[in-house]
Amino acid sequence: MSMAMAGILIAIPASIFVLLALTWKVLPRGGDFLVVLGFLAVWLLGLGIAADFTKHFHDGVFAPNGANVFSFDWINIGDGLFHIQFSTWVDSITVTMIVVVSTVALMVAIYSTGYMHGEERYGWYFAALSLFVTAMLTLILSGNLLQLYFAWEGVGLASFLLIGFYWERQSAAEAAKKAFITTRIGDVGLLIGIVLLWRVAGTFDIQGIIHFAEEGGFDKTYLTVAMLFLFLGAVGKSAQFPLHVWLPDAMEGPTPVSALIHAATMVVAGVYLVARMMPVFDVVPTAREVVLYTGLITAVMAATMGLVSNDIKRVLAFSTVSQLGFMFVALGMGAVGVAMFHLFTHAFFKALLFLGSGSVIHATHEQTVEHLGGLRKKLPITTWTFVIGSLALAGIIPFAGFWSKDEILHTAAHSHPMVYVILAGTAILTAIYSTRVVLLTFWGEPKDHHAYEHAHESGPIMAGPLVFLSLLAISSGFVIFHSVGAALGFPGGILETIFTEEPEVFHFDPVFAATAVGMSLAGIGIGFAYWWGDASRAVRARAWAPELHALLVNRYYIDDLYQAIIDRVILGLGNIVATFERHVVNEAGVDGGSQLIGWFGMRLKFLQTGRIPNYALAMAVGVVVLAVMAFRSA
């Protein structure tokens, strides 16, 4: 399939959404088969686009000569005064995102036919799923920032609908509102950044803005401010500090939603945006430094919170936030290929982990890890696929997560040694909480015997995606090797395909790799030491430092801080504005004017007596007054 026809990828789920939104109640099985077939078509066509992409490399450089662009006039005011095109743009970053989004979406759709079976709003769930995929594909294919922004908002809307799918539960409704409002803060920043760039560059076209910036068209201070506003949008959507608070609560949505939106697609939209605009960030190093240290803070904070969470999905949510922090650290160091490589591998093993947690919840109706245990005997497929995903997350060779995380650490070690030290410590924490959730869920003795007795392995329709994603969690990291990339038709490994300045050939460093694996194994060893058996060491550690445990359990009290600001500042200012509006604007301004006219009218009506002599007298007086005025003016 030609790259110029990439818009078809958007049209397929968009058509399915419209059809299902109108007719899901009368379609067989709520129309789920249409979604599965549609996503399968998107996946196959996406692979076709990737194949066409490989044909346009010349001497290792992507040179499509316009074959990767499709556009038509969308808005044209004043004969070009305000001109916007609907456009699609395909390059290495786009192809990576297409493969990730289409693959995970297909697996989630298949899995959902089993997991969501019997739900009251079964068909609407698949309609909302199609809406999300439509918006996400539009976002990654957009050739201009305004089109990207509309898709960005569409992703937020679809996320709101899916997080709040169980709207009758107050916790789900609150989580949906929290996600929507928190990400809106970032979205406002994104819009401001887009407008600031357009104001000087005179275009919304992404490539046009990049060329304008590289040629020095922007003032450096102005461009720094614009890119920081743009990055604020990425912070909100990708749950980075301090706007990370929405993602753990978003686990109130159905588990397949967590796998699609909060592990592999929506939350990496911010990473995609920064990677897409990296040539502009390179012009203003200060903004890029902000990206680096925001990611670093987020990676560390989220990893520590993942150590104490008891909800299996929330542990994975904190892990997602932390791994997104790793990606932003790579972007902050200018390593676009490395960041996109970790995005690529993380999507598969984290989707696997979320779907694995869904299998546990589906089998036991329990998601508190301290209430589980011993499930490896009842859920063998779920257990071993979950272990594979956990080993990939922990960074154990040869699983996919090792290769991408090792590249981030390697880049940091050569350019920011202190950042490397902090990330290495965070990698150890990652291995610890990965081991903790595996041991508490699948090993040891059952804590809730009722849940254990009723546990059963998922059927083929749910187990199939787990097995497929586990294969990707094992193998997807090998795309870093030149020979593997070349065998797939690319100019080389993924770092030779995704780059901003020049390709990077991967060289395996055994000593560095052994050090990274050693740190991960140390984390796994600590996890076994504390949570194997009856987890007595973990209990003693909690009793030894209750304040620290409370700090982590309460997420550094950031949610409480936000709630206090809302209660005491925002609502307080709201009451002041409401009082001013009620007493000054309404009562004095609007109602006061009408009441004043009524008061005068009430008193003037007494001049109308209905007696002819009174009117004659008034007329005579009026004539006399007019005559006096006339004589005086003469």
Side-chain angles (χ1 to χ4, degrees):
M1 180 179 175
S2 169
M3 291 184 288
M5 299 175 65
I8 295 176
L9 299 183
I10 302 172
I12 293 173
S15 302
I16 294 173
F17 164 69
V18 173
L19 179 61
L20 261 62
L22 297 175
T23 64
W24 68 267
K25 291 186 178 180
V26 298
L27 287 173
R29 294 182 56 86
D32 61 353
F33 59 95
L34 293 175
V35 176
V36 173
L37 292 175
F39 288 6
L40 176 61
V42 168
W43 183 63
L44 293 174
L45 292 174
L47 295 180
I49 290 174
D52 186 53
F53 165 78
T54 63
K55 299 175 183 177
H56 292 84
F57 278 88
H58 303 283
D59 297 325
V61 178
F62 182 56
N65 297 321
N68 63 328
V69 182
F70 170 78
S71 65
F72 61 85
D73 282 354
W74 182 16
I75 301 173
N76 193 350
I77 300 174
D79 194 21
L81 181 64
F82 186 74
H83 184 211
I84 304 174
Q85 290 185 320
F86 181 94
S87 61
T88 61
W89 172 273
V90 177
D91 62 5
S92 56
I93 295 175
T94 312
V95 167
T96 303
M97 292 298 295
I98 288 174
V99 172
V100 166
V101 172
S102 61
T103 302
V104 176
L106 177 60
M107 292 300 104
V108 166
I110 295 172
Y111 182 93
S112 295
T113 59
Y115 187 89
M116 299 297 291
H117 182 69
E119 290 286 347
E120 182 180 357
R121 296 180 293 277
Y122 181 77
W124 170 246
Y125 166 84
F126 282 95
L129 210 63
S130 300
L131 175 62
F132 172 81
V133 173
T134 301
M136 193 66 205
L137 289 172
T138 305
L139 191 156
I140 63 178
L141 286 167
S142 293
N144 71 77
L145 286 176
L146 194 61
Q147 178 184 328
L148 181 146
Y149 180 76
F150 285 128
W152 191 274
E153 293 295 339
V155 167
L157 171 62
S159 174
F160 171 79
L161 295 174
L162 288 167
I163 295 171
F165 179 77
Y166 299 115
W167 53 265
E168 61 273 11
R169 292 199 322 235
Q170 184 177 354
S171 57
E174 293 293 337
K177 288 189 291 183
K178 184 175 183 179
F180 194 77
I181 293 171
T182 305
T183 55
R184 287 294 74 71
I185 297 172
D187 294 353
V188 170
L190 174 61
L191 182 59
I192 293 172
I194 291 173
V195 172
L196 288 175
L197 293 173
W198 165 78
R199 180 172 174 267
V200 175
T203 181
F204 290 105
D205 182 71
I206 294 174
Q207 301 307 312
I209 291 172
I210 290 174
H211 294 319
F212 190 82
E214 290 176 334
E215 293 170 0
F218 290 100
D219 173 77
K220 286 294 182 66
T221 303
Y222 182 93
L223 185 58
T224 299
V225 172
M227 297 313 291
L228 288 176
F229 273 116
L230 204 75
F231 178 58
L232 182 59
V235 168
K237 199 68 81 183
S238 292
Q240 296 296 285
F241 174 83
L243 300 181
H244 63 284
V245 294
W246 67 269
L247 186 58
D249 292 336
M251 297 303 107
E252 291 291 339
T255 301
V257 170
S258 302
L260 177 64
I261 296 181
H262 308 125
T265 54
M266 172 182 151
V267 291
V268 299
V271 178
Y272 165 79
L273 176 64
V274 175
R276 169 66 66 213
M277 300 300 293
M278 184 51 64
V280 185
F281 278 97
D282 286 338
V283 177
V284 281
T286 301
R288 213 177 72 182
E289 289 288 305
V290 172
V291 174
L292 191 158
Y293 291 109
T294 299
L296 186 63
I297 293 170
T298 305
V300 176
M301 287 186 62
T304 57
M305 291 185 282
L307 286 172
V308 298
S309 180
N310 285 325
D311 186 299
I312 188 171
K313 288 173 64 177
R314 277 184 168 80
V315 174
L316 299 177
F318 286 123
S319 170
T320 298
V321 175
S322 182
Q323 296 307 304
L324 290 168
F326 273 80
M327 297 174 206
F328 278 109
V329 168
L331 290 171
M333 294 184 292
V336 172
V338 174
M340 292 303 298
F341 180 34
H342 195 49
L343 183 156
F344 181 76
T345 61
H346 174 266
F348 301 132
F349 66 71
K350 187 54 64 69
L352 168 62
L353 288 170
F354 267 110
L355 294 184
S357 70
S359 183
V360 170
I361 296 168
H362 188 263
T364 64
H365 301 287
E366 178 61 69
Q367 58 191 77
T368 302
V369 292
E370 293 187 349
H371 295 169
L372 297 170
L375 292 178
R376 72 185 186 284
K377 301 173 184 177
K378 291 293 191 79
L379 310 175
I381 297 176
T382 300
T383 299
W384 293 111
T385 54
F386 198 95
V387 168
I388 289 172
S390 299
L391 290 172
L393 174 61
I396 299 298
I397 195 170
F399 298 96
F402 162 77
W403 302 105
S404 56
K405 190 180 293 185
D406 186 65
E407 278 304 295
I408 296 176
L409 293 173
H410 197 272
T411 304
H414 285 81
S415 59
H416 294 76
M418 185 51 67
V419 172
Y420 164 73
V421 171
I422 296 173
L423 284 183
T426 306
I428 295 174
L429 294 178
T430 303
I432 293 174
Y433 65 67
S434 300
T435 304
R436 171 179 178 264
V437 74
V438 168
L439 293 179
L440 290 178
T441 304
F442 299 104
W443 266 261
E445 294 299 322
K447 285 83 171 178
D448 186 334
H449 290 278
H450 177 76
Y452 178 79
E453 292 300 327
H454 289 81
H456 56 86
E457 184 59 272
S458 301
I461 202 69
M462 291 172 61
L466 294 180
V467 173
F468 182 80
L469 288 171
S470 66
L471 294 176
L472 291 178
I474 296 170
S475 62
S476 60
F478 295 121
V479 297
I480 196 171
F481 290 98
H482 175 87
S483 57
V484 175
L488 294 173
F490 295 95
I494 192 168
L495 301 185
E496 298 170 78
T497 305
I498 304 176
F499 55 89
T500 52
E501 296 181 1
E502 58 183 22
E504 178 185 345
V505 180
F506 172 67
H507 297 289
F508 183 69
D509 186 337
V511 176
F512 192 90
T515 303
V517 173
M519 290 186 294
S520 296
L521 290 175
I524 292 175
I526 293 171
F528 267 92
Y530 275 81
W531 285 282
W532 179 258
D534 59 359
S536 58
R537 279 196 177 94
V539 174
R540 289 198 299 270
R542 183 186 306 178
W544 175 72
E547 296 83 2
L548 177 60
H549 182 263
L551 178 68
L552 299 180
V553 167
N554 290 284
R555 309 177 193 178
Y556 293 93
Y557 298 100
I558 295 175
D559 290 83
D560 300 281
L561 175 62
Y562 285 162
Q563 191 63 54
I565 292 173
I566 292 171
D567 292 341
R568 300 179 184 180
V569 179
I570 296 177
L571 293 181
L573 290 174
N575 288 331
I576 293 173
V577 172
T579 301
F580 177 83
E581 189 270 343
R582 183 172 59 252
H583 294 296
V584 178
V585 177
N586 280 347
E587 295 181 2
V590 179
D591 296 340
S594 64
Q595 290 172 359
L596 184 64
I597 293 173
W599 183 84
F600 276 110
M602 179 64 70
R603 278 143 186 82
L604 290 174
K605 74 177 183 178
F606 292 110
L607 298 177
Q608 307 298 320
T609 63
R611 297 178 180 179
I612 295 177
N614 291 346
Y615 296 153
L617 177 61
M619 292 172 62
V621 171
V623 170
V624 171
V625 171
L626 291 174
V628 170
M629 292 175 64
F631 281 117
R632 290 189 65 179
S633 62

